[in-house]
Amino acid sequence: MANAKMQSTQQPTNRREAFGSRNVFILAAIGSAVGLGNIWRFPYVAYEGGGGAFLIPYLCALLTAGIPLLFLDYAIGHRFRGSAPLAFRRMHRAAEPLGWWQVLICVVIAVYYAVIVAWAAMYTWFSAQLTWGAGNENDFFFTEFLTMSSPDDGLSTTFVPQVGVPLAVVWVVVIVIMALGVKRGIGTANMILMPLLTVMFVILVVQSLFLPGALDGLTAFFEPNWDALANTAVWASAYGHIFFSLSVAFGIMVTYASYLKRKTDLTGSGLVVAFANSSFEILAGIGVFAALGFMAQAAQTDVSGVATSGIGLAFVAFPTIVSQATGGSIIGVLFFGALVFAGITSMISILEVIVSALQDKLGWTRLSTTLVVSIPLAVISMALFSTTSALVVLDTTDAFVNSFGIMAVAFVTVVVVSWVLFKLPTLQEHLNRRSSFRIGMIWRLLVSVLAPLILGYLLFSEFQTKLAEPYGGYPGWLIGTFGWGMVVLLIVGGVLLSLVPWSEKSHAKDDPGYDEFLTVEAYEPDPETGAVRVQKGAQR
């Protein structure tokens, strides 16, 4: 048996891919964290949460929940060296459904995330020509571009070419990046796109600061409303935002950490990623509110009268600013180009969770797995989101998957890892073995006590809100299918997938790289791959 295992360690084909360096990993992790939400969600959340005063709950959320959970994901991925399902399986067989639950969340998000990137790509082109026509920004987006139908009309099969064609292009680009692998595809894409994104956004912010009324916008964004700190909803908003912003608890950071070399500084990397992400968010807030200040002055109203977030900010408010500002086309190209780059780097991280999981499970090559995963997802994405009912399906799915998918799996994960499997001491020891920033009892308390309390409160609040009245006023069939139905499907699907046997070629059964890792670290051998036990400390 031992000989057979030693022979298997000499097969290079089944070895896990890896990032070229720690810096590439950091860029990829920042690329995943910096997504559409940083640009179009954070500024409004901060503004609504008390302006400058919001920085207090935001920093508390970052330090007490965001960074501790980021460390937890890094520790799981790096210690057990697998995609989310494999890493949780290696932690404990009964925990495998958690990994598949996270994978299925990524499946749903990837399907609709692509269409937002496609919209942004088209608006980059529209900005150069002011295609929407001054004063027609709202009607152009909803009526002429999306040709949006009423939710009461049911699911549409009417193809919208101006959405469908760029959506297909987005999928082709992403599939090519994914097929090239972790080092040549994901690593190289982030090495190119992240610096470009940063440069473009800095130019956008500088240009926005010189717009008339920019100072009013910045005053609205930074002026502290200290009374807001007494509102528990503001604190909940800060914690909720941090969970989504750092891409924790849905498999991305577990997967990325599994591609790191053995001696990588995990906590040091996590701090760089977390603070880089927050810096970008504040930069986005400055740029967005400087532009909104200009928009308010042009409309002769207060900033509160034009402040908005999400799709309304990106595809209605910003085109309005582009129409009215001197050099507006440049602002538009920079803004929507930044959305495209931020969207692509986030999307490839979401897809990587799925590709990595199936590659681990089936033992297939990178190219085969990428095609088997990506092409069906692209077809579903095209079928649902290149039609006239795309926006209502997207809005409903996003609202429920974010609340009861990501937040729920994060809650269950921290409870299971902390209080059922009691793995926090093991993970803490693993992080401290190789990291410059050591963690201790405070980290364990934050993950095992504070995080479950906050996540539990947020989940309970979301249940109350969603049950009180139909989300968005949408019809029951829509909420039942793409809202609650999707939430249940993710959980049931996660359990069912964990029951499917792993292939003999899978990394769960044959993983020479993991065996060597366990041997060198003097960890216990894996019961499935059968690493050779060595004397502790012999090969450190």
Side-chain angles (χ1 to χ4, degrees):
M1 180 68 182
N3 287 339
K5 290 299 176 187
M6 290 304 289
Q7 285 172 2
S8 72
T9 63
Q10 312 208 351
Q11 297 172 5
T13 53
N14 206 25
R15 287 187 178 276
R16 191 164 192 76
E17 294 182 271
F19 285 114
S21 69
R22 177 185 173 226
N23 290 338
V24 177
F25 161 75
I26 288 175
L27 270 181
I30 295 172
S32 172
V34 174
L36 303 176
N38 297 67
I39 298 172
W40 75 20
R41 186 170 186 272
F42 171 77
Y44 188 72
V45 169
Y47 169 72
E48 281 280 284
F54 182 77
L55 290 178
I56 293 175
Y58 176 79
L59 282 175
C60 286
L62 176 68
L63 297 175
T64 62
I67 291 175
L69 289 183
L70 193 63
F71 288 172
L72 178 68
D73 272 0
Y74 284 3
I76 293 172
H78 193 265
R79 167 61 182 83
F80 297 102
R81 306 200 72 74
S83 60
L86 181 56
F88 280 103
R89 177 186 176 87
R90 283 173 171 166
M91 183 187 296
H92 193 284
R93 290 285 187 88
E96 187 183 330
L98 289 175
W100 289 112
W101 188 2
Q102 296 181 350
V103 169
L104 291 179
I105 289 170
C106 289
V107 167
V108 175
I109 294 176
V111 166
Y112 70 74
Y113 207 86
V115 78
I116 305 175
V117 179
W119 295 347
M122 287 303 291
Y123 265 69
T124 307
W125 172 252
F126 292 159
S127 296
Q129 308 174 71
L130 302 180
T131 306
W132 47 75
N136 189 42
E137 293 82 3
N138 188 75
D139 289 343
F140 178 83
F141 179 66
F142 292 105
T143 305
E144 298 177 38
F145 180 59
L146 296 183
T147 60
M148 183 178 167
S149 60
S150 167
D152 296 325
D153 295 338
L155 274 183
S156 166
T157 57
T158 304
F159 182 68
V160 182
Q162 62 269 29
V163 174
V165 172
L167 178 57
V169 173
V170 167
W171 274 106
V172 170
V173 170
V174 172
I175 289 172
V176 170
I177 293 172
M178 298 300 297
L180 287 173
V182 174
K183 188 174 181 180
R184 289 192 304 147
I186 299 174
T188 304
N190 280 283
M191 290 288 285
I192 296 171
L193 295 181
M194 286 310 296
L196 275 176
L197 170 63
T198 305
V199 170
M200 288 171 65
F201 218 82
V202 167
I203 296 172
L204 171 67
V205 170
V206 171
Q207 190 170 2
S208 299
L209 288 175
F210 286 97
L211 291 172
L215 189 58
D216 295 335
L218 294 180
T219 301
F221 182 60
F222 283 114
E223 188 174 40
N225 173 15
W226 300 113
D227 293 339
L229 298 183
N231 186 350
T232 55
V234 170
W235 289 83
S237 172
Y239 277 90
H241 178 78
I242 282 293
F243 284 126
F244 299 126
S245 178
L246 283 177
S247 299
V248 293
F250 58 115
I252 294 175
M253 293 306 165
V254 170
T255 305
Y256 272 10
S258 74
Y259 295 138
L260 280 170
K261 294 175 181 173
R262 188 175 67 84
K263 291 187 176 179
T264 305
D265 181 350
L266 295 176
T267 57
S269 303
L271 291 175
V272 172
V273 170
F275 285 111
N277 177 64
S278 295
S279 301
F280 192 91
E281 289 193 317
I282 293 172
L283 183 69
I286 293 172
V288 167
F289 268 82
L292 289 176
F294 163 75
M295 183 177 173
Q297 187 182 77
Q300 297 184 327
T301 184
D302 295 333
V303 174
S304 59
V306 297
T308 182
S309 67
I311 289 172
L313 170 71
F315 298 104
V316 178
F318 249 88
T320 306
I321 294 165
V322 170
S323 299
Q324 296 171 346
T326 304
S329 289
I330 298 174
I331 293 176
V333 170
L334 290 171
F335 178 77
F336 289 110
L339 282 185
V340 171
F341 291 166
I344 287 179
T345 53
S346 294
M347 191 176 163
I348 58 180
S349 70
I350 293 167
L351 274 177
E352 181 58 24
V353 175
I354 313 164
V355 171
S356 177
L358 287 189
Q359 198 174 6
D360 279 347
K361 181 102 181 182
L362 303 171
W364 289 358
T365 65
R366 177 76 190 191
L367 180 60
S368 302
T369 313
T370 298
L371 296 178
V372 166
V373 167
S374 304
I375 292 176
L377 290 184
V379 171
I380 296 170
S381 180
M382 293 283 295
L384 284 175
F385 298 106
S386 60
T387 67
T388 56
S389 56
L391 186 56
V392 292
V393 174
L394 187 157
D395 187 33
T396 306
T397 307
D398 181 62
F400 280 80
V401 169
N402 272 325
S403 299
F404 304 113
I406 298 174
M407 206 177 289
V409 77
F411 173 75
V412 176
T413 300
V414 292
V415 169
V416 168
V417 173
S418 304
W419 296 108
V420 179
L421 302 179
F422 300 102
K423 288 292 183 181
L424 290 187
T426 301
L427 298 172
Q428 175 192 332
E429 194 271 341
H430 183 77
L431 287 170
N432 285 339
R433 271 193 184 197
R434 67 208 67 251
S435 299
S436 57
F437 180 81
R438 295 178 65 81
I439 57 172
M441 181 59 73
I442 292 176
W443 175 74
R444 284 156 60 179
L445 287 174
L446 291 173
V447 173
S448 62
V449 179
L450 185 65
L453 286 175
I454 293 169
L455 287 165
Y457 172 78
L458 292 174
L459 264 177
F460 179 72
S461 301
E462 279 297 321
F463 265 116
Q464 282 187 313
T465 303
K466 293 288 194 305
L467 291 174
E469 56 184 25
Y471 174 74
Y474 293 144
W477 69 267
L478 185 68
I479 296 175
T481 306
F482 294 100
W484 295 114
M486 196 67 72
V487 171
V488 173
L489 187 64
L490 295 176
I491 299 172
V492 174
V495 173
L496 292 177
L497 283 171
S498 70
L499 298 177
V500 177
W502 288 68
S503 160
E504 287 302 316
K505 296 186 298 181
S506 70
H507 282 128
K509 306 289 185 181
D510 181 20
D511 191 345
Y514 186 52
D515 286 347
E516 288 177 12
F517 173 82
L518 294 176
T519 302
V520 174
E521 292 285 334
Y523 286 146
E524 290 294 318
D526 184 82
E528 290 187 288
T529 58
V532 178
R533 186 190 295 268
V534 296
Q535 187 174 359
K536 284 191 174 183
Q539 297 189 42
R540 286 187 192 178

